[in-house]
Amino acid sequence: SDLVRMAFPSAVAKAGNKYLRKPTIQSSILLLCDIQSKFGVNLPNIERVVSSSKFLMQCSFALNIPVIATEQYPKAFGKTREELAQSKTMIFEKTKFSMLTDEVSKKLEEEKREDVILTGIEGHICVLQTTLDLLQKGYTVHLCVDAVDSQRSTDKEIAMHRLSQSGAILTTSESVVFQLLSDAKHPKFKETQQFVKDHIADIKKIEDDKSKL
């Protein structure tokens, strides 16, 4: 009511603003969309996508956050990149563009996590359709833009703009990890900081290699 809004304006604003939501270890799940051996050959930033997704995966495993990966028609596009195809990674094949196949939807329901951290390719096709499906189902989607790519930059840019307008939270892999930890006193802080350092070094190498081309 108007009286409630007048009496508690900040509380009402917080309740109505999902962009203020932060992912937590207990509420989060990591989804890796179609990061496959042959699928990313024509993507300008595929190695950055792999590196940032690997970073999020390592931190997720350390924090006991479940990880799901999908493979779009692997006969044609290859299997999940070996850096990401770990024993704890739950991998599902699909032909549907969205990750939300019946199998994946069932697994999401079983895991009972409200915050989805999402990475993958391509930003304007499978990632976009996955995000819209997740939002429609009531999940909060934390879209790590440094771990998303499309063949053409305009396609990614427009897709990210549309998804932001649709309610997805645009963020980056490192930002998400520090939100999950919340405090330098967290028992897993030191372990994850090694992953942070490795990720920074990987990204620097990728950028240096690109500048030599």
Side-chain angles (χ1 to χ4, degrees):
S1 72
D2 290 340
L3 284 174
V4 172
R5 288 192 191 91
M6 288 168 66
F8 306 103
S10 59
V12 171
K14 284 178 184 176
N17 188 354
K18 69 186 296 179
Y19 293 101
L20 293 176
R21 183 178 175 88
K22 291 185 284 187
T24 68
I25 292 167
Q26 293 75 23
S27 71
S28 296
I29 187 166
L30 174 63
L31 266 57
L32 310 174
C33 182
D34 306 348
I35 309 171
Q36 295 158 247
S37 54
K38 297 177 185 174
F39 202 32
V41 227
N42 300 315
L43 296 172
N45 300 299
I46 183 59
E47 294 310 322
R48 186 176 185 121
V49 169
V50 172
S51 174
S52 295
S53 296
K54 178 186 172 185
F55 165 58
L56 283 165
M57 179 194 71
Q58 290 171 322
C59 292
S60 294
F61 289 157
L63 299 169
N64 292 317
I65 292 171
V67 178
I68 291 175
T70 54
E71 297 172 340
Q72 177 71 19
Y73 195 55
K75 285 182 183 177
F77 298 115
K79 304 296 283 179
T80 299
R81 283 279 294 253
E82 59 180 359
E83 299 94 326
L84 306 172
Q86 302 300 308
S87 57
K88 289 184 184 176
T89 308
M90 296 176 275
I91 300 177
F92 298 87
E93 294 183 11
K94 67 184 181 71
T95 56
K96 186 177 180 177
F97 296 127
S98 170
M99 289 181 77
L100 265 66
T101 61
D102 290 344
E103 284 182 306
V104 173
S105 294
K106 187 181 175 188
K107 180 53 72 176
L108 284 172
E109 285 166 18
E110 287 171 5
E111 294 292 347
K112 293 181 167 53
R113 306 282 176 131
E114 298 170 8
D115 291 284
V116 175
I117 301 161
L118 180 60
T119 78
I121 54 181
E122 289 193 47
H124 64 298
I125 303 174
C126 296
V127 172
L128 181 138
Q129 292 186 39
T130 299
T131 305
L132 293 176
D133 284 352
L134 287 164
L135 291 170
Q136 284 181 333
K137 285 179 177 285
Y139 292 97
T140 300
V141 182
H142 305 267
L143 195 52
C144 298
V145 294
D146 59 325
V148 172
D149 202 21
S150 295
Q151 291 187 51
R152 294 167 297 276
S153 58
T154 304
D155 285 333
K156 177 185 171 181
E157 183 186 343
I158 297 301
M160 297 304 101
H161 182 64
R162 179 187 175 186
L163 292 175
S164 176
Q165 286 183 319
S166 301
I169 297 170
L170 302 192
T171 184
T172 62
S173 53
E174 192 172 293
S175 177
V176 163
V177 167
F178 279 90
Q179 286 177 74
L180 291 168
L181 291 165
S182 183
D183 194 317
K185 290 180 180 176
H186 192 284
K188 294 285 186 178
F189 180 76
K190 284 186 180 176
E191 183 181 349
T192 56
Q193 286 322 284
Q194 188 55 54
F195 300 140
V196 171
K197 289 174 186 174
D198 292 345
H199 180 235
I200 290 169
D202 280 352
I203 297 301
K204 186 178 186 308
K205 185 179 183 303
I206 289 164
E207 288 174 351
D208 288 347
D209 289 347
K210 282 184 81 172
S211 67
K212 290 173 189 172
L213 296 175

